[in-house]
Short mmCIF file of all heavy atoms in Angstrom, two decimals:
data_model
loop_
_atom_site.label_atom_id
_atom_site.label_comp_id
_atom_site.label_asym_id
_atom_site.label_seq_id
_atom_site.Cartn_x
_atom_site.Cartn_y
_atom_site.Cartn_z
N LEU A 290 -14.47 -10.49 0.89
CA LEU A 290 -13.71 -11.60 0.32
C LEU A 290 -12.77 -11.10 -0.76
O LEU A 290 -13.12 -10.21 -1.54
CB LEU A 290 -14.66 -12.64 -0.29
CG LEU A 290 -15.59 -13.39 0.66
CD1 LEU A 290 -16.56 -14.25 -0.14
CD2 LEU A 290 -14.79 -14.26 1.63
N SER A 291 -11.58 -11.68 -0.80
CA SER A 291 -10.65 -11.46 -1.89
C SER A 291 -10.30 -12.84 -2.47
O SER A 291 -9.76 -13.69 -1.76
CB SER A 291 -9.38 -10.76 -1.40
OG SER A 291 -8.46 -10.61 -2.45
N TRP A 292 -10.63 -13.04 -3.73
CA TRP A 292 -10.50 -14.36 -4.34
C TRP A 292 -9.53 -14.29 -5.52
O TRP A 292 -9.83 -13.68 -6.54
CB TRP A 292 -11.87 -14.84 -4.80
CG TRP A 292 -11.89 -16.23 -5.37
CD1 TRP A 292 -10.93 -17.18 -5.31
CD2 TRP A 292 -12.97 -16.82 -6.12
NE1 TRP A 292 -11.32 -18.33 -5.94
CE2 TRP A 292 -12.57 -18.14 -6.46
CE3 TRP A 292 -14.22 -16.37 -6.51
CZ2 TRP A 292 -13.40 -19.00 -7.20
CZ3 TRP A 292 -15.04 -17.22 -7.25
CH2 TRP A 292 -14.63 -18.52 -7.58
N ASP A 293 -8.36 -14.90 -5.34
CA ASP A 293 -7.47 -15.12 -6.47
C ASP A 293 -8.04 -16.30 -7.25
O ASP A 293 -7.72 -17.45 -6.98
CB ASP A 293 -6.06 -15.46 -6.00
CG ASP A 293 -5.38 -14.31 -5.28
OD1 ASP A 293 -5.96 -13.21 -5.26
OD2 ASP A 293 -4.29 -14.51 -4.74
N PHE A 294 -8.89 -15.99 -8.20
CA PHE A 294 -9.61 -17.04 -8.92
C PHE A 294 -8.64 -18.01 -9.59
O PHE A 294 -8.83 -19.23 -9.54
CB PHE A 294 -10.53 -16.39 -9.97
CG PHE A 294 -11.34 -17.37 -10.75
CD1 PHE A 294 -12.45 -17.97 -10.18
CD2 PHE A 294 -11.00 -17.69 -12.05
CE1 PHE A 294 -13.21 -18.88 -10.90
CE2 PHE A 294 -11.74 -18.59 -12.78
CZ PHE A 294 -12.85 -19.18 -12.20
N MET A 295 -7.59 -17.46 -10.19
CA MET A 295 -6.57 -18.32 -10.77
C MET A 295 -5.25 -17.57 -10.88
O MET A 295 -5.22 -16.35 -11.04
CB MET A 295 -6.98 -18.84 -12.15
CG MET A 295 -7.07 -17.77 -13.22
SD MET A 295 -7.02 -18.45 -14.90
CE MET A 295 -5.32 -19.01 -14.98
N LYS A 296 -4.16 -18.31 -10.76
CA LYS A 296 -2.81 -17.76 -10.94
C LYS A 296 -1.99 -18.83 -11.65
O LYS A 296 -1.76 -19.92 -11.13
CB LYS A 296 -2.19 -17.43 -9.58
CG LYS A 296 -0.74 -16.95 -9.67
CD LYS A 296 -0.67 -15.55 -10.23
CE LYS A 296 0.73 -14.95 -10.13
NZ LYS A 296 1.70 -15.60 -11.05
N LYS A 297 -1.59 -18.50 -12.87
CA LYS A 297 -0.79 -19.43 -13.65
C LYS A 297 0.26 -18.62 -14.40
O LYS A 297 -0.05 -17.89 -15.35
CB LYS A 297 -1.67 -20.21 -14.64
CG LYS A 297 -0.87 -21.08 -15.62
CD LYS A 297 -0.06 -22.15 -14.91
CE LYS A 297 0.69 -23.02 -15.91
NZ LYS A 297 1.56 -24.01 -15.25
N GLY A 298 1.52 -18.70 -13.96
CA GLY A 298 2.55 -17.89 -14.58
C GLY A 298 2.24 -16.42 -14.41
O GLY A 298 2.02 -15.93 -13.31
N ASN A 299 2.20 -15.69 -15.52
CA ASN A 299 1.88 -14.27 -15.49
C ASN A 299 0.38 -13.99 -15.53
O ASN A 299 -0.03 -12.84 -15.36
CB ASN A 299 2.55 -13.56 -16.68
CG ASN A 299 4.06 -13.59 -16.59
OD1 ASN A 299 4.63 -13.17 -15.61
ND2 ASN A 299 4.71 -14.11 -17.63
N ARG A 300 -0.42 -15.02 -15.75
CA ARG A 300 -1.87 -14.83 -15.84
C ARG A 300 -2.47 -14.83 -14.44
O ARG A 300 -2.23 -15.73 -13.64
CB ARG A 300 -2.50 -15.93 -16.69
CG ARG A 300 -3.99 -15.74 -16.92
CD ARG A 300 -4.49 -16.73 -17.95
NE ARG A 300 -3.78 -16.52 -19.21
CZ ARG A 300 -3.67 -17.43 -20.17
NH1 ARG A 300 -4.18 -18.64 -20.00
NH2 ARG A 300 -3.03 -17.15 -21.28
N PHE A 301 -3.27 -13.82 -14.17
CA PHE A 301 -3.80 -13.64 -12.82
C PHE A 301 -5.21 -13.06 -12.92
O PHE A 301 -5.45 -12.09 -13.64
CB PHE A 301 -2.88 -12.70 -12.03
CG PHE A 301 -3.41 -12.33 -10.68
CD1 PHE A 301 -3.58 -13.27 -9.69
CD2 PHE A 301 -3.71 -11.00 -10.39
CE1 PHE A 301 -4.06 -12.91 -8.43
CE2 PHE A 301 -4.17 -10.63 -9.14
CZ PHE A 301 -4.35 -11.58 -8.16
N VAL A 302 -6.14 -13.68 -12.20
CA VAL A 302 -7.53 -13.20 -12.14
C VAL A 302 -7.93 -13.09 -10.67
O VAL A 302 -7.79 -14.06 -9.92
CB VAL A 302 -8.50 -14.13 -12.88
CG1 VAL A 302 -9.93 -13.60 -12.78
CG2 VAL A 302 -8.09 -14.29 -14.34
N ASN A 303 -8.40 -11.91 -10.27
CA ASN A 303 -8.84 -11.71 -8.90
C ASN A 303 -10.19 -11.02 -8.88
O ASN A 303 -10.45 -10.11 -9.67
CB ASN A 303 -7.82 -10.87 -8.11
CG ASN A 303 -8.30 -10.55 -6.70
OD1 ASN A 303 -9.06 -9.62 -6.48
ND2 ASN A 303 -7.83 -11.33 -5.74
N ILE A 304 -11.04 -11.45 -7.95
CA ILE A 304 -12.34 -10.82 -7.70
C ILE A 304 -12.40 -10.48 -6.22
O ILE A 304 -12.10 -11.34 -5.38
CB ILE A 304 -13.51 -11.75 -8.08
CG1 ILE A 304 -13.41 -12.17 -9.55
CG2 ILE A 304 -14.85 -11.07 -7.80
CD1 ILE A 304 -14.38 -13.27 -9.92
N GLN A 305 -12.77 -9.27 -5.90
CA GLN A 305 -12.90 -8.90 -4.49
C GLN A 305 -14.22 -8.16 -4.27
O GLN A 305 -14.68 -7.40 -5.12
CB GLN A 305 -11.73 -8.04 -4.01
CG GLN A 305 -11.67 -6.65 -4.60
CD GLN A 305 -10.46 -5.88 -4.11
OE1 GLN A 305 -9.42 -6.44 -3.80
NE2 GLN A 305 -10.58 -4.56 -4.05
N SER A 306 -14.81 -8.40 -3.12
CA SER A 306 -16.07 -7.75 -2.77
C SER A 306 -16.07 -7.52 -1.27
O SER A 306 -15.79 -8.44 -0.50
CB SER A 306 -17.26 -8.60 -3.19
OG SER A 306 -18.48 -7.93 -2.94
N PHE A 307 -16.36 -6.31 -0.84
CA PHE A 307 -16.36 -6.01 0.58
C PHE A 307 -17.40 -4.94 0.90
O PHE A 307 -17.92 -4.26 0.01
CB PHE A 307 -14.97 -5.55 1.05
CG PHE A 307 -14.52 -4.25 0.46
CD1 PHE A 307 -14.81 -3.04 1.07
CD2 PHE A 307 -13.78 -4.22 -0.71
CE1 PHE A 307 -14.40 -1.84 0.53
CE2 PHE A 307 -13.36 -3.03 -1.26
CZ PHE A 307 -13.67 -1.83 -0.64
N MET A 308 -17.68 -4.81 2.18
CA MET A 308 -18.59 -3.79 2.68
C MET A 308 -17.85 -2.95 3.70
O MET A 308 -17.11 -3.47 4.53
CB MET A 308 -19.81 -4.44 3.33
CG MET A 308 -20.81 -3.44 3.91
SD MET A 308 -21.87 -2.68 2.66
CE MET A 308 -23.11 -3.98 2.46
N ALA A 309 -18.02 -1.63 3.62
CA ALA A 309 -17.55 -0.71 4.65
C ALA A 309 -18.75 -0.33 5.50
O ALA A 309 -19.71 0.27 5.00
CB ALA A 309 -16.92 0.52 4.01
N PHE A 310 -18.72 -0.70 6.78
CA PHE A 310 -19.85 -0.49 7.68
C PHE A 310 -19.64 0.77 8.52
O PHE A 310 -18.53 1.04 8.98
CB PHE A 310 -20.01 -1.70 8.61
CG PHE A 310 -20.29 -2.99 7.91
CD1 PHE A 310 -19.25 -3.84 7.56
CD2 PHE A 310 -21.59 -3.36 7.60
CE1 PHE A 310 -19.51 -5.05 6.92
CE2 PHE A 310 -21.85 -4.56 6.96
CZ PHE A 310 -20.81 -5.41 6.62
N ASN A 311 -20.71 1.51 8.75
CA ASN A 311 -20.68 2.69 9.61
C ASN A 311 -19.60 3.68 9.16
O ASN A 311 -18.75 4.10 9.95
CB ASN A 311 -20.44 2.30 11.07
CG ASN A 311 -21.51 1.37 11.61
OD1 ASN A 311 -22.70 1.57 11.37
ND2 ASN A 311 -21.09 0.35 12.34
N VAL A 312 -19.66 4.05 7.91
CA VAL A 312 -18.66 4.95 7.34
C VAL A 312 -18.76 6.32 8.03
O VAL A 312 -19.84 6.83 8.29
CB VAL A 312 -18.89 5.10 5.83
CG1 VAL A 312 -17.97 6.15 5.23
CG2 VAL A 312 -18.70 3.76 5.13
N PHE A 313 -17.60 6.92 8.32
CA PHE A 313 -17.58 8.24 8.95
C PHE A 313 -17.70 9.35 7.90
O PHE A 313 -17.41 9.13 6.72
CB PHE A 313 -16.30 8.45 9.76
CG PHE A 313 -15.03 8.08 9.03
CD1 PHE A 313 -14.63 8.71 7.86
CD2 PHE A 313 -14.20 7.08 9.53
CE1 PHE A 313 -13.46 8.38 7.21
CE2 PHE A 313 -13.01 6.73 8.88
CZ PHE A 313 -12.65 7.39 7.72
N ASN A 314 -18.12 10.53 8.34
CA ASN A 314 -18.10 11.68 7.42
C ASN A 314 -16.69 12.26 7.30
O ASN A 314 -16.32 12.81 6.27
CB ASN A 314 -19.10 12.75 7.84
CG ASN A 314 -18.87 13.27 9.25
OD1 ASN A 314 -18.19 12.64 10.06
ND2 ASN A 314 -19.45 14.42 9.56
N TYR A 315 -15.89 12.13 8.35
CA TYR A 315 -14.46 12.43 8.27
C TYR A 315 -13.76 11.71 9.40
O TYR A 315 -14.35 11.45 10.45
CB TYR A 315 -14.19 13.94 8.29
CG TYR A 315 -14.63 14.67 9.54
CD1 TYR A 315 -13.79 14.81 10.64
CD2 TYR A 315 -15.89 15.25 9.60
CE1 TYR A 315 -14.19 15.49 11.78
CE2 TYR A 315 -16.31 15.94 10.74
CZ TYR A 315 -15.46 16.06 11.82
OH TYR A 315 -15.86 16.74 12.94
N PRO A 316 -12.47 11.37 9.21
CA PRO A 316 -11.75 10.56 10.21
C PRO A 316 -11.20 11.43 11.34
O PRO A 316 -11.39 12.66 11.36
CB PRO A 316 -10.62 9.95 9.40
CG PRO A 316 -10.32 11.00 8.37
CD PRO A 316 -11.66 11.61 8.01
N SER A 317 -10.50 10.81 12.25
CA SER A 317 -9.76 11.54 13.29
C SER A 317 -8.34 11.75 12.80
O SER A 317 -7.65 10.80 12.44
CB SER A 317 -9.75 10.73 14.60
OG SER A 317 -11.04 10.67 15.16
N PHE A 318 -7.91 13.01 12.79
CA PHE A 318 -6.59 13.36 12.31
C PHE A 318 -5.59 13.39 13.46
O PHE A 318 -5.97 13.46 14.63
CB PHE A 318 -6.63 14.70 11.58
CG PHE A 318 -7.52 14.69 10.37
CD1 PHE A 318 -8.80 15.23 10.42
CD2 PHE A 318 -7.10 14.11 9.18
CE1 PHE A 318 -9.63 15.21 9.31
CE2 PHE A 318 -7.93 14.07 8.07
CZ PHE A 318 -9.20 14.63 8.13
N GLU A 319 -4.32 13.37 13.11
CA GLU A 319 -3.28 13.36 14.13
C GLU A 319 -3.27 14.65 14.93
O GLU A 319 -2.95 14.67 16.11
CB GLU A 319 -1.91 13.13 13.47
CG GLU A 319 -0.78 12.99 14.46
CD GLU A 319 0.55 12.78 13.77
OE1 GLU A 319 0.65 13.08 12.57
OE2 GLU A 319 1.48 12.32 14.43
N SER A 320 -3.64 15.75 14.29
CA SER A 320 -3.60 17.06 14.93
C SER A 320 -4.94 17.39 15.61
O SER A 320 -5.99 17.38 14.96
CB SER A 320 -3.29 18.14 13.88
OG SER A 320 -3.51 19.44 14.39
N ASP A 321 -4.91 17.70 16.90
CA ASP A 321 -6.12 18.13 17.61
C ASP A 321 -6.65 19.44 17.06
O ASP A 321 -7.86 19.67 17.03
CB ASP A 321 -5.84 18.27 19.10
CG ASP A 321 -5.58 16.94 19.79
OD1 ASP A 321 -6.05 15.91 19.25
OD2 ASP A 321 -4.91 16.91 20.83
#
Side-chain angles (χ1 to χ4, degrees):
L290 295 173
S291 177
W292 184 13
D293 294 353
F294 181 76
M295 67 161 291
K296 176 73 171 70
K297 173 62 178 176
N299 294 306
R300 185 170 300 159
F301 174 64
V302 180
N303 176 278
I304 302 170
Q305 69 181 30
S306 184
F307 65 89
M308 179 78 82
F310 299 93
N311 300 317
V312 174
F313 48 61
N314 58 342
Y315 61 89
S317 291
F318 299 101
E319 185 180 18
S320 168
D321 291 336

